[in-house]
Amino acid sequence: MRLPRTLPRSLAGQLFAMQALLVAAVVAGCAFFAYASGRSQAEETAARQVRAAALAMAGSPSVREAIRTPDPSAVLQPYAEKVREDTGIAFVTIMDPEGVRWTHPDTSQIGRSFIGHTERALLGETFEETYTGTLGPSIRVVTPVHDGDRIVGLVSAGITVERVSTQVREQLGALGTAAGAALALGALGTYVINARLRRHTHGMNAGELSRMHTYHEATLHAVREGLIMLDGQRRVALINDAGRELLGLAPGSVGRRIDELALPAPLTGALLASEPRVDEVHLTAERVIVVNTSPVVGGERRGTVVTLRDHTELQALSGELDSERGFTQALRSQAHEAANRLHTVVSLIELGRVEEAVEFATAELELAQVLTDRVVGAVAEPVLAALLLGKAAQANERGVELVLAEDSLIDDGALPSSLAPRDLVTILGNLIDNAVDAASETTTAGVPVPAQRTATRALVTVTARTESGELLLRVADTGAGIGPDDADEVFRRGWTTHGTGRGLGLALVRQAAHRNGGTVTLGRAPGGGAEFTVRLPLAGRTAGTEVAAP
């Protein structure tokens, strides 16, 4: 029969066992040390006690006088017993220089020879020894009794080893009680601490925690969404590879405060906010990211979890989709207008006015062909040419004329492959859209009025050419322009004059220019409106975005 495999003990259980064993070892060691120290101190105390008693009796004049009498025992025995009882020692023996006892706790031993050493005392020395006498092993002191220059007797006082051991055992009992209480208290404290640790580790053992950490690290770096964890002080506690890439941070960003990472101010504000943020769109130097923040529950300022999604490609595709929709609407409108013109031509022919029908059809074709020939002849880049033609049709539907400047010229192959067509669409498309919006409106008493109802012709002028190793894209309009107070804010995400839900186009223009090492400047157009100029290096990325006020 195969025994079931026991699960490894949890980390908290292992720590509890280790700490309990450690506490027991410490308490046992302390108890042993206290016992050894206490026994040594008890023996030392006993030795001092008997030495003091022996020296006091040897120096007493009454002892010398009693020794001179014919029967010293008659006087010394009561005196020695009283001293023994008062001091609590085991025996006091007074003897002659030959070692014959004059006193003893057992009166039957009086007159017999002292059991022990006396040689050193006869030489005038007081010494201490442990010796087994009539009362058993004892700690004794032997000292001489002087009468002038002569040694007339010896005094020995002692305490039995058994009595010392009894005192040590009494102390050891109290020590054992204290040690047991310390062990119980230590075990209780260890249990409480480890119970809390068990809750925090969910009962997992060290191996499981190690595997979980490994899986955690692998998952963290495998997730393509950015993940940031901030502590209560708004420092970066954890960030994965995707988060560093999206924010453009160096590997050493962990431990630094968010406001020290040189992120855009709106993004920094969102990360520092105490309330949750849901699907907020923010721009970094090169990316459009969607930010979600959620505070860590369980106490005040415990931290924040931040997720980041790359919205750059989606935003570019959305812009292209908007352009395609505009092209589609423009083509639909042109098809409708062409049908109307065709009906007019047919009607003129049916009325027999052939020459007028030919003249009408030819004039419409010439007007449509002039811009097409101008764009195709000047701009050999197919993406830009298609974009200009499509935007011209859209502008025409809104009563705005889009013209290509006479000095525009981009030869075939002039643009490097590193300059993404998508970025060109983002830059020029957004600039033209904003210019058409501005040119199609004028402001009277704060109320927008269609430009075709005014005497001023609505016009957007586009310049596209290569010069001095750069691609120059310039868009000017005949709108109201941008005031000096707004010049510094115009490229900020959310800045707009057309209501909520707008204000991302110019921010994307700046981002795309920065991504390709170019610059964006804002000036005033000859017609009084705004003029945006973008310069992109043709030799690759060399610079960052700079914004110049008009």
Side-chain angles (χ1 to χ4, degrees):
M1 179 178 177
R2 187 174 184 180
L3 294 176
R5 181 183 178 185
T6 58
L7 292 176
R9 182 175 295 178
S10 67
L11 178 62
Q14 294 177 12
L15 288 178
F16 174 75
M18 184 183 301
Q19 290 172 350
L21 183 62
L22 179 62
V23 169
V26 170
V27 170
C30 291
F32 176 77
F33 174 78
Y35 171 75
S37 176
R39 185 174 184 85
S40 175
Q41 290 180 357
E43 292 177 352
E44 184 179 350
T45 301
R48 287 199 302 267
Q49 184 180 6
V50 296
R51 177 182 286 270
L55 290 175
M57 295 182 68
S60 174
S62 59
V63 172
R64 288 193 296 270
E65 292 177 1
I67 291 175
R68 297 190 193 107
T69 63
D71 187 7
S73 294
V75 178
L76 294 178
Q77 174 67 16
Y79 175 69
E81 286 299 301
K82 181 173 176 40
V83 171
R84 183 181 67 81
E85 293 174 357
D86 291 344
T87 57
I89 60 180
F91 67 88
V92 174
T93 299
I94 305 175
M95 68 198 86
D96 63 14
E98 301 298 328
V100 179
R101 300 188 187 100
W102 285 324
T103 66
H104 195 275
D106 183 3
T107 56
S108 63
Q109 298 294 327
I110 296 176
R112 295 183 180 182
S113 297
F114 175 74
I115 300 176
H117 300 94
T118 59
E119 294 81 2
R120 293 167 62 185
L122 293 174
L123 295 176
E125 180 184 353
T126 300
F127 67 94
E128 174 189 331
E129 68 175 352
T130 300
Y131 199 85
T132 302
T134 58
L135 300 179
S138 61
I139 301 172
R140 59 181 63 181
V141 171
V142 182
T143 186
V145 178
H146 293 273
D147 188 2
D149 295 333
R150 295 182 307 115
I151 295 177
V152 295
L154 301 174
V155 177
S156 176
I159 187 168
T160 60
V161 173
E162 177 63 25
R163 181 176 296 183
V164 174
S165 299
T166 301
Q167 294 176 353
V168 172
R169 282 195 297 270
E170 292 175 355
Q171 296 176 356
L172 186 61
L175 178 63
T177 302
L183 180 60
L185 184 61
L188 178 61
T190 301
Y191 176 79
V192 172
I193 293 174
N194 284 277
R196 177 169 181 155
L197 178 61
R198 188 180 296 108
R199 288 196 302 270
H200 287 300
T201 59
H202 301 285
M204 290 184 290
N205 57 50
E208 291 172 335
L209 288 174
S210 177
R211 285 193 298 272
M212 177 171 287
H213 176 73
T214 302
Y215 296 150
H216 167 270
E217 288 292 317
T219 303
L220 180 67
H221 295 291
V223 172
R224 296 317 303 157
E225 286 191 355
L227 178 63
I228 307 175
M229 294 184 182
L230 308 178
D231 61 16
Q233 303 300 319
R234 297 300 187 263
R235 293 188 297 261
V236 178
L238 183 147
I239 183 170
N240 66 349
D241 298 337
R244 281 197 298 267
E245 181 181 354
L246 291 176
L247 297 181
L249 300 179
S253 55
V254 175
R256 300 178 60 189
R257 284 181 54 86
I258 280 294
D259 51 9
E260 297 175 353
L261 299 180
L263 298 175
L267 178 56
T268 300
L271 298 180
L272 292 177
S274 57
E275 68 277 2
R277 300 296 179 95
V278 179
D279 290 340
E280 283 194 0
V281 178
H282 289 271
L283 275 74
T284 64
E286 297 184 359
R287 294 182 183 272
V288 180
I289 58 177
V290 178
V291 177
N292 285 273
T293 67
S294 177
V296 177
V297 297
E300 275 193 43
R301 299 186 66 84
R302 293 289 297 274
T304 306
V305 176
V306 182
T307 60
L308 308 171
R309 296 199 309 273
D310 191 357
H311 206 256
T312 307
E313 297 296 327
L314 183 59
Q315 188 65 44
L317 292 174
S318 177
E320 293 181 6
L321 180 59
D322 289 340
S323 298
E324 294 295 335
R325 286 174 178 170
F327 297 159
T328 303
Q329 293 174 0
L331 289 174
R332 185 182 298 113
S333 177
Q334 288 178 352
H336 180 71
E337 185 67 20
N340 291 336
R341 292 169 182 169
L342 182 59
H343 291 159
T344 301
V345 171
V346 171
S347 298
L348 288 174
I349 294 174
E350 289 178 348
L351 293 174
R353 305 175 71 169
V354 177
E355 293 182 1
E356 293 181 10
V358 173
E359 182 180 352
F360 178 80
T362 304
E364 292 299 325
L365 289 174
E366 288 178 353
L367 290 175
Q369 193 65 31
V370 167
L371 179 60
T372 302
D373 293 342
R374 178 76 186 94
V375 170
V376 172
V379 181
E381 175 60 39
V383 173
L384 290 181
L387 178 66
L388 289 171
L389 292 174
K391 293 298 182 182
Q394 293 179 37
N396 184 60
E397 292 298 319
R398 300 181 59 181
V400 178
E401 182 181 359
L402 188 149
V403 299
L404 188 64
E406 293 295 331
D407 57 348
S408 296
L409 180 61
I410 300 178
D411 295 330
D412 187 18
L415 302 185
S417 58
S418 60
L419 189 57
R422 181 173 294 174
D423 288 341
L424 295 178
V425 171
T426 297
I427 294 172
L428 194 55
N430 281 290
L431 290 180
I432 292 177
D433 287 343
N434 286 344
V436 171
D437 287 341
S440 63
E441 296 178 349
T442 57
T443 303
T444 304
V447 180
V449 178
Q452 56 265 36
R453 296 183 184 178
T454 66
T456 304
R457 185 177 67 145
L459 181 66
V460 173
T461 304
V462 178
T463 303
R465 68 172 184 266
T466 57
E467 62 177 19
S468 302
E470 293 181 328
L471 171 63
L472 182 143
L473 301 175
R474 179 178 293 130
V475 178
D477 62 69
T478 57
I482 297 174
D485 295 338
D486 294 327
D488 293 334
E489 297 292 323
V490 66
F491 291 97
R492 179 177 55 83
R493 183 188 70 84
W495 186 92
T496 181
T497 60
H498 298 92
T500 60
R502 304 288 296 278
L504 190 60
L506 290 178
L508 292 175
V509 169
R510 181 179 66 171
Q511 186 185 73
H514 181 278
R515 189 160 48 241
N516 291 277
T519 61
V520 182
T521 57
L522 168 62
R524 184 170 295 277
E531 181 180 80
F532 290 89
T533 303
V534 178
R535 296 179 181 274
L536 303 176
L538 298 179
R541 178 171 180 167
T542 57
T545 304
E546 299 293 338
V547 179

